[in-house]
Amino acid sequence: MQYEAVIGLEVHAQLLTGSKLFCACSTRFGAEPNTQVCPVCLGMPGTLPVLNAKAVDYAIMTALAVDCVVNPISVFARKNYFYPDLPKGYQISQYNEPLSSRGRLDITTESGQKTIGITRIHMEEDAGKLIHGEGADENYSFVDLNRAGVPLIEIVSEPDMRVADEAVAYLKALRDILVYLGVCDGNMEEGSFRCDANVSIRPIGQAALGTKAELKNINSFKFVKDAITYEIQRQIDVVEEGGKVIQETRLFDSTRGVTVSMRSKEEAHDYRYFPEPDLAPLVVNEADVERLRENLPELPEAKRSRFGDAYGIPAYDAGVLTSTRALADYYEELVRLTDEPKLSSNWIMGEVLRLLNGNGLTITGSPVKPSAIAELLAMIKDGRLSNNMAKEVFEEMFKTGKTAEDVVKSKGVAQISDEGAITGIIEAVIKANPENLERYRGGKDKLFGFFVGEVMKAAKGQANPATVNKLLKEKLNG
Amino acid sequence: MDLTSLTVHELSGLLQKREVSSVEAAQAYLNRIASLNARLGAYITVTADEAIEAAKEADKRLLSGASSPLTGVPVSVKDIFCTAGVKTTCASKILERFIPVYDAAVVARLKDAGAVILGKNNMDEFAMGSSTENSAFFPARNPWDLQRVPGGSSGGSASAVAADLSAASVGTDTGGSIRQPASCCGVVGLKPTYGRVSRYGMIAFASSLDQAGPITKDVTDAAIMLKAIAGFDPLDSTSVDLSVPDFPCLLSGGVKGLRLGIPKEYFIEGMDSQVSASVNDALDCLKKEGALIVPITLPHTEYAVSVYYLLATAEASSNLARFDGVKYGLRVGAANLIDMYKKSRAAGFGAEVKRRIMLGTYALSAGYYDAYYKKASEVRALIKRDFDEAFKVCDVIATPTCPTPAFKLGEKTQDPLTMYLSDIFTISCNLAGIPGISMPCGFTKGKLPIGLQLLGRPFDEATILRAAYTFERTAGIGKEKPAL
C-alpha cells in the first residue's frame, strides 16, 4: 500500500511590541525572573486587561501579508485550564471569531511551486515559564511570569502539505514574511517563532483524512523536518502492522529523533472557551486596514522578482540579497550609489557576506556601510586599485572601520597607472633581461608572461595590469 | 449633636463651614463602630489609624478650600474592593490574608475626593448570596431586627449605613447585591449602568454583570457618591467614555409628565401583601406628583433567574480560577501540584462558592455549552430587548425591590433555590445592563423596611435619581432610624 501524509501547521509568533498584550509591562527577553510584571499580568484579583493597539496592528499586517480576510469584528475568548504558569487560570485568546481568516501562502520546494491555505490568524497572550529546581531546590518548581501576557499570533494552516520539505518551506516563507514585516524576530531557539504540526496519513487516492497526531516541541527547522519525517513513518508502520493511529499529542525528542506520546484524546483538556467579558469585541474598521495595507513593506517574494527585473541580476543573487530586509536595503543603497547592480551583487555576496559570516555578524552589524564600499568600487573603476588590491583594502576597512581612502594612504597601496612611471619600470626590466628579450623576439611568445611578472614584481604589484600589458607589448615588439 | 446620624450632604455642610472637623466625625464613627460592630457584623476590617490620618489630611484640604462634597466624610467600602496596604478578603478564607498593592478605581476616586475610609464591609463570600450569611467569617445583621439578615451580598454595607456605622458605603451589584440589601435595611442603593463605574480593582464575580454603586442614607447622597465614583477609566475596557452628569444638581424638577412603567410580571401571586401595598402607595404618591402610570410588559422576565444563574456562574467559574494557591492567598501543602490545587480550593472556598463554580463549569463544558451558556446568552439578549421596547413607552420602570422583607438568619440557608428567588426582581436589570435604584417606601407592621425599585434607560441615572428624590421629599420617607 502507498500512503501519503497530510500535514497542517500551527505557528505561534511572538509580536515585537515593546509592551505586553494587556498591560504596559516590557516584553524584553532575558530579564531577571519576575521583574517585568504588574498586577494585571500577575493575575491579581480585580485587575483587568486593556488591549495593546500596536499588537492589533501587527496582527492585521500579518493577515494582510498572507492574503487573509481581516474580520471587522472579532471576539476574545477565555481558554480555561489550571497551570502554575497561567496566573489567571485562563488564557485570553480568540476562538470561534478570530481576527482574520482564509489566507494563502505560496511556497517553493524542489518539486515546484505550491499554495498553502491559511485557515486563520488570531491573537492571544503567552503564558509564563516554569523552572524546575536543581540540587538543593530539586523538590521545587519556580514560576517566572516575565513572559506572561506577551502578545502572540497563532497562524493556523490548512492541512495542505504532503511532505516534510513542504512544511519546512512553508515555515521558512512564513518566518521571512514576519521578519520582513518587522512584527516578529523569528527566533526559533528563544521561542519567539514556535510550531506545532498536525500529521496524519492515508492511502494514496483516499479523500477522507486519517487520524492525526499533534507534534509539539519542534523548535528548529531541522527538528520540524526530522519530527514530521519520523512521525509519518511511525504511523505507516502502525497501520502496516495492523494497528490504528490514535488521536494524541506527541512530543518530539530531539536527542533520540523520535516522537513520544504525551496525552491521548481522552486526557485532552476541556478548555471551556467562552467570550472574554472583560474585553469588548474587537472592531477593526476598514480605514485602519487600508492604512496598514498601504504601509505594508514590500514582501520577500515581490522583492525577489523585482530585483531580478530591475537590476538584471540572476535569480540566485536575488534570492540571497532578499533573504533579509536589511540586506536587501544594503544592496539597493549600494546600487543607488554605484549604478553597478552586478558588481554590487558580487561584492556583497562575496566579500561582505564572507567577512560578516566569518565574524558572526549580520548585515545590520556590518562595520562597512554601503557608502564606503561605493567609494572603494569607484577606485577600481578609475583604475586606482585593481580588483585584488580592492579586496585587501576591503578587509582592512572591515577590520578597522577606516575609509578606503585612509587605508590606501596608510598602507601605501595605490595602483600605478601613470604611463611614464610604468614605462620606466618596463625599460629597466627589459634592460636587465637581454637574453629573454632576444628569445621573445625570436618567437618565444610565452615569455610575455615572464616580463609581466617581472614588471609587476618591480612595481610591488601596484601597476595597473591593463597599462602594463599595453606598454610592455609596445616595448618588447620594439 | 450625633454626627453619625447625619447624611453625607448634611455632614459635608458642617465640614465646609468648619463647624466640625473631619477628625471629630471620623472619631465619632469609629466609636460607634467599636460599640456596635460586634452585634452587627457590618465590618470585616476597620482601619481606624488610616482613617484618622486621612481625616487630618481632609481637614487641611477643607482649610485650604480645595475640597469636594466628600472631603472629610467618613465612608466605607465593601471588602470586594482592593485597598493598597489593607487586607482585602472578599469575605473568603482563600483571601483571608491577602493585602493588595493597589487601590481599586472606586477606592482611588473616593480618596481623591477626600473621603475618609473607615474600613471594609462584610459581604457574602465573593458576592455570592442574598443574606451575607455566606461570609466566611461571620454574618452581618439587620439593624432593624438583629435576628434577620441585612440582605446581600453587600449586606455589611447596607447594615453599616442603616446603623450609622458609616455615612455612606460603596457596594457591588451583580444580580441585586446593592438594591436588595438596601431594601432590607431601609437605605438607598443605586446600581449604575454597566460601564458607568470602573471595575478595576473590584474582585470579579461575574464580569459582564458586576457594577459598583453607592449605598446611602438618602437619595441626595446617592447622587453625590455616584458622581464621585463614576466615569471612564482607561484601565477598564468595559467602562464607557461618557461625561458624568452633575447628578446632585439634577435631582429637583419633579416628575410631572414622567411616564412610570409598571410591568405586570413584577406584581405576582405570592408576593408579600404588605410589600405590594407599600409599593402601590408609593406609585400613588408619584402619580399625585404628576407622573403618568403606564402598564408595560417584560415578557421574558420568567427566564431571568435561570439565565442569570447560568451566565453568572459560568463567568465566576473562570474568574475564580486564579485563586489556586500558587501566587497569593491560601495554599494548603500537598505532595503534588494537583493535590495542592484541590486542597487549597477545598479549604479556601465556602459551600455556596463551590456550588456556583461547579454549576458554571458544567454550563461551559464541551457538549453543554450550546444548551446552557449559549442559550442563556441568547435569552439575555431577549430580556434586554424587552427593556428597550418598554422604554419606548415609559421613562422609568417601577417595581418592588424584593418580594418579601428581610428574612431570618438561617431561614433559607438550607434551600439555595429559595434564596436565589429573593433576587427575582433585581436580576433582569443586571442582565440588561441598565441602572436601578432601591429606596425605602415604607415598613411592614413588624417594622421591617420595604423597598421601591426604579429602573432607567442606560446611562440615565439622572432620571431615576430625580424620581426617587421627588418621592423621598413628598412622602417624607427615610428619616426613621433603627433602635439599637
Side-chain angles (χ1 to χ4, degrees):
Chain A
M1 179 94 67
Q2 287 279 33
Y3 296 92
E4 72 171 357
V6 175
I7 305 159
L9 298 176
E10 292 171 15
V11 169
H12 285 89
Q14 181 183 325
L15 298 177
L16 278 175
T17 55
S19 57
K20 293 185 180 180
L21 187 52
F22 298 118
C23 65
C25 289
S26 167
T27 55
R28 196 168 57 85
F29 182 81
E32 283 293 301
N34 299 311
T35 54
Q36 295 179 167
V37 292
C38 73
V40 175
C41 57
L42 289 175
M44 304 285 262
T47 59
L48 298 169
V50 177
L51 182 60
N52 180 335
K54 184 112 201 167
V56 177
D57 281 359
Y58 282 1
I60 293 174
M61 285 164 66
T62 309
L64 294 173
V66 292
D67 285 337
C68 274
V69 177
V70 177
N71 297 316
I73 294 178
S74 61
V75 173
F76 285 95
R78 290 187 186 176
K79 178 179 182 178
N80 295 285
Y81 64 96
F82 285 94
Y83 204 64
D85 68 6
L86 191 70
K88 299 187 294 294
Y90 56 84
Q91 177 196 32
I92 305 178
S93 180
Q94 294 189 306
Y95 188 49
N96 47 17
E97 295 176 75
L99 177 75
S100 63
S101 28
R102 300 193 305 282
R104 47 177 281 166
L105 182 58
D106 292 332
I107 60 165
T108 308
T109 61
E110 279 173 10
S111 38
Q113 275 233 338
K114 185 168 177 177
T115 297
I116 307 299
I118 290 177
T119 315
R120 57 186 277 159
I121 300 179
H122 72 249
M123 307 180 69
E124 63 187 26
E125 59 178 339
D126 208 343
K129 205 168 68 180
L130 277 195
I131 302 156
H132 298 291
E134 289 168 8
D137 288 332
E138 71 172 351
N139 290 324
Y140 293 89
S141 289
F142 300 89
V143 187
D144 177 7
L145 294 175
N146 281 349
R147 206 178 63 188
V150 163
L152 301 176
I153 47 175
E154 181 172 336
I155 304 158
V156 182
S157 85
E158 290 289 305
D160 287 345
M161 289 153 275
R162 296 291 171 267
V163 291
D165 279 340
E166 290 180 355
V168 172
Y170 167 86
L171 282 178
K172 284 187 170 164
L174 186 60
R175 191 181 71 158
D176 280 355
I177 287 175
L178 291 169
V179 173
Y180 252 70
L181 291 171
V183 302
C184 175
D185 67 17
N187 189 325
M188 285 186 100
E189 287 70 33
E190 285 179 7
S192 46
F193 184 84
R194 324 196 264 272
C195 165
D196 299 334
N198 289 312
V199 177
S200 64
I201 57 160
R202 62 184 172 194
I204 286 181
Q206 178 185 306
L209 293 170
T211 303
K212 69 179 178 182
E214 183 180 10
L215 309 185
K216 287 186 176 290
N217 195 36
I218 35 187
N219 54 2
S220 77
F221 290 123
K222 181 179 181 304
F223 293 165
V224 169
K225 181 164 177 164
D226 293 352
I228 292 175
T229 306
Y230 174 87
E231 180 62 17
I232 293 170
Q233 194 54 50
R234 186 192 71 84
Q235 293 186 11
I236 292 173
D237 292 347
V238 166
V239 173
E240 291 280 275
E241 285 159 21
K244 264 188 154 177
V245 174
I246 57 164
Q247 188 173 335
E248 62 182 345
T249 303
R250 298 179 69 86
L251 277 186
F252 180 62
D253 177 343
S254 60
T255 49
R256 292 193 295 144
V258 301
T259 66
V260 288
S261 183
M262 186 172 130
R263 59 173 175 255
S264 71
K265 188 187 173 190
E266 286 70 33
E267 298 165 279
H269 296 293
D270 175 1
Y271 290 119
R272 291 173 283 119
Y273 282 100
F274 74 104
E276 164 58 287
D278 288 332
L279 291 167
L282 174 59
V283 177
V284 179
N285 63 51
E286 212 165 316
D288 283 337
V289 174
E290 284 319 304
R291 170 179 58 84
L292 291 166
R293 193 194 301 276
E294 276 164 27
N295 290 321
L296 275 191
E298 188 178 29
L299 294 172
E301 194 57 49
K303 206 181 276 276
R304 250 191 302 281
S305 81
R306 180 171 63 81
F307 274 25
D309 297 344
Y311 302 125
I313 55 175
Y316 176 78
D317 290 25
V320 173
L321 292 172
T322 56
S323 62
T324 71
R325 205 163 132 188
L327 185 61
D329 289 347
Y330 191 98
Y331 171 71
E332 291 206 274
E333 175 66 4
L334 186 56
V335 173
R336 192 181 66 78
L337 294 168
T338 61
D339 204 20
E340 292 276 4
K342 183 57 186 159
L343 184 65
S344 298
S345 167
N346 289 348
W347 267 80
I348 292 174
M349 294 189 15
E351 299 312 296
V352 178
L353 289 182
R354 181 175 64 81
L355 290 183
L356 286 175
N357 292 341
N359 287 281
L361 293 171
T362 65
I363 194 70
T364 38
S366 172
V368 184
K369 301 297 164 211
S371 56
I373 301 187
E375 194 189 316
L376 179 67
L377 298 190
M379 290 170 131
I380 302 175
K381 202 174 178 188
D382 58 21
R384 289 178 62 196
L385 294 177
S386 69
N387 215 35
N388 282 337
M389 289 161 75
K391 285 177 184 172
E392 277 172 47
V393 170
F394 180 75
E395 282 200 32
E396 193 63 19
M397 289 164 70
F398 194 94
K399 233 183 280 170
T400 61
K402 285 184 183 166
T403 63
E405 194 66 52
D406 285 349
V407 173
V408 164
K409 270 190 194 138
S410 65
K411 287 227 154 188
V413 276
Q415 183 162 268
I416 304 164
S417 297
D418 177 67
E419 293 203 359
I422 293 176
T423 305
I425 295 169
I426 288 172
E427 281 170 354
V429 167
I430 289 175
K431 207 170 174 188
N433 293 285
E435 286 163 25
N436 281 334
L437 178 68
E438 280 306 308
R439 290 165 66 194
Y440 175 82
R441 287 188 173 158
K444 275 257 178 207
D445 287 354
K446 282 184 179 161
L447 280 170
F448 186 74
F450 163 78
F451 281 103
V452 171
E454 288 300 299
V455 170
M456 291 308 271
K457 211 190 284 171
K460 298 196 181 75
Q462 296 179 6
N464 183 330
T467 314
V468 170
N469 271 345
K470 191 188 83 175
L471 295 177
L472 189 62
K473 221 160 237 169
E474 285 170 20
K475 292 287 168 193
L476 288 177
N477 294 338
Chain B
M1 180 175 38
D2 183 4
L3 294 176
T4 62
S5 68
L6 303 177
T7 62
V8 168
H9 56 97
E10 287 163 352
L11 177 60
S12 184
L14 298 181
L15 288 165
Q16 303 285 341
K17 283 184 270 174
R18 309 298 306 143
E19 287 179 23
V20 296
S21 72
S22 176
V23 171
E24 287 172 275
Q27 196 56 60
Y29 272 110
L30 291 170
N31 292 345
R32 191 166 168 88
I33 292 167
S35 71
L36 289 175
N37 192 49
R39 284 159 69 195
L40 287 166
Y43 284 84
I44 292 174
T45 303
V46 179
T47 51
D49 294 344
E50 291 89 339
I52 294 297
E53 279 310 304
K56 285 179 184 165
E57 285 302 309
D59 281 328
K60 282 185 206 159
R61 265 177 81 169
L62 285 159
L63 263 181
S64 76
S67 61
S68 84
L70 283 177
T71 307
V73 176
V75 302
S76 55
V77 296
K78 188 177 183 178
D79 205 18
I80 200 169
F81 294 102
C82 287
T83 40
V86 174
K87 72 173 180 160
T88 299
T89 69
C90 230
S92 180
K93 288 242 183 275
I94 212 156
L95 288 178
E96 192 168 4
R97 278 181 279 277
F98 175 64
I99 299 176
V101 295
Y102 48 95
D103 276 331
V106 160
V107 172
R109 285 182 187 207
L110 287 175
K111 286 182 177 174
D112 286 349
V116 171
I117 296 175
L118 297 165
K120 312 289 294 289
N121 291 126
N122 202 358
M123 55 185 283
D124 283 303
E125 183 180 6
F126 285 104
M128 297 176 183
S130 308
S131 69
T132 316
E133 291 166 291
N134 294 333
S135 168
F137 308 119
F138 44 82
R141 288 168 189 270
N142 193 318
W144 295 92
D145 178 350
L146 295 179
Q147 299 312 308
R148 290 182 186 264
V149 302
S153 65
S154 310
S157 292
S159 176
V161 172
D164 291 334
L165 300 195
S166 73
S169 181
V170 182
T172 62
D173 190 317
T174 306
S177 280
I178 287 174
R179 290 159 290 152
Q180 186 259 13
S183 172
C184 288
C185 292
V187 291
V188 175
L190 171 63
K191 183 204 92 77
T193 312
Y194 185 80
R196 178 64 99 181
V197 180
S198 171
R199 293 185 297 116
Y200 189 84
M202 175 176 125
I203 300 177
F205 160 17
S207 311
S208 75
L209 301 160
D210 296 343
Q211 184 65 197
I215 293 179
T216 56
K217 297 180 186 180
D218 71 3
V219 175
T220 305
D221 284 3
I224 291 168
M225 289 287 281
L226 178 61
K227 190 187 171 195
I229 62 173
F232 175 67
D233 179 1
L235 293 181
D236 176 2
S237 306
T238 62
S239 81
V240 175
D241 196 356
L242 274 179
S243 64
V244 177
D246 191 356
F247 296 113
C249 291
L250 299 170
L251 292 171
S252 55
V255 293
K256 203 167 165 49
L258 188 81
R259 295 171 301 170
L260 217 50
I262 313 298
K264 62 175 192 218
E265 293 83 1
Y266 282 62
F267 291 82
I268 49 171
E269 289 289 313
M271 192 162 72
D272 185 292
S273 59
Q274 297 181 79
V275 170
S276 50
S278 180
V279 170
N280 282 324
D281 287 349
L283 297 179
D284 283 345
C285 172
L286 285 166
K287 198 173 162 187
K288 277 188 199 127
E289 288 299 301
L292 308 170
I293 303 295
V294 184
I296 58 162
T297 174
L298 297 166
H300 295 92
T301 299
E302 64 174 302
Y303 304 110
V305 172
S306 314
V307 166
Y308 174 82
Y309 278 97
L310 286 169
L311 297 181
T313 57
E315 291 181 20
S317 72
S318 173
N319 282 332
L320 271 58
R322 67 188 63 199
F323 306 109
D324 58 4
V326 174
K327 309 160 293 285
Y328 48 76
L330 181 73
R331 177 192 292 182
V332 178
N336 61 59
L337 177 66
I338 300 294
D339 283 349
M340 189 279 282
Y341 283 151
K342 287 180 179 171
K343 287 184 175 174
S344 298
R345 288 168 68 84
F349 291 137
E352 182 60 27
V353 173
K354 286 175 189 156
R355 185 178 297 127
R356 295 198 194 190
I357 290 172
M358 284 188 280
L359 268 175
T361 303
Y362 187 76
L364 290 173
S365 296
Y368 298 98
Y369 179 89
D370 286 354
Y372 296 125
Y373 183 87
K374 193 164 168 239
K375 182 65 79 182
S377 302
E378 287 161 5
V379 179
R380 178 181 186 175
L382 295 177
I383 289 169
K384 185 173 184 327
R385 209 173 63 190
D386 282 354
F387 282 98
D388 293 342
E389 290 299 316
F391 283 122
K392 287 177 183 165
V393 298
C394 68
D395 305 304
V396 169
I397 294 171
T399 77
T401 308
C402 313
T404 62
F407 46 90
K408 289 196 165 132
L409 268 81
E411 192 179 321
K412 297 190 180 180
T413 43
Q414 295 313 307
D415 185 358
L417 274 183
T418 319
M419 184 80 91
Y420 293 175
L421 289 177
S422 50
D423 291 337
I424 187 164
F425 295 150
T426 47
I427 275 174
S428 297
C429 166
N430 300 78
L431 292 170
I434 59 174
I437 191 169
S438 174
M439 63 179 306
C441 66
F443 289 92
T444 63
K445 290 190 199 90
K447 213 60 182 165
L448 294 173
I450 295 168
L452 166 72
Q453 176 175 243
L454 301 173
L455 306 173
R457 295 192 180 95
F459 298 101
D460 191 15
E461 291 88 355
T463 299
I464 55 173
L465 280 164
R466 178 161 53 90
Y469 180 77
T470 306
F471 174 64
E472 183 183 76
R473 276 304 174 91
T474 319
I477 284 286
K479 296 288 174 208
E480 211 165 336
K481 299 273 185 186
L484 280 162

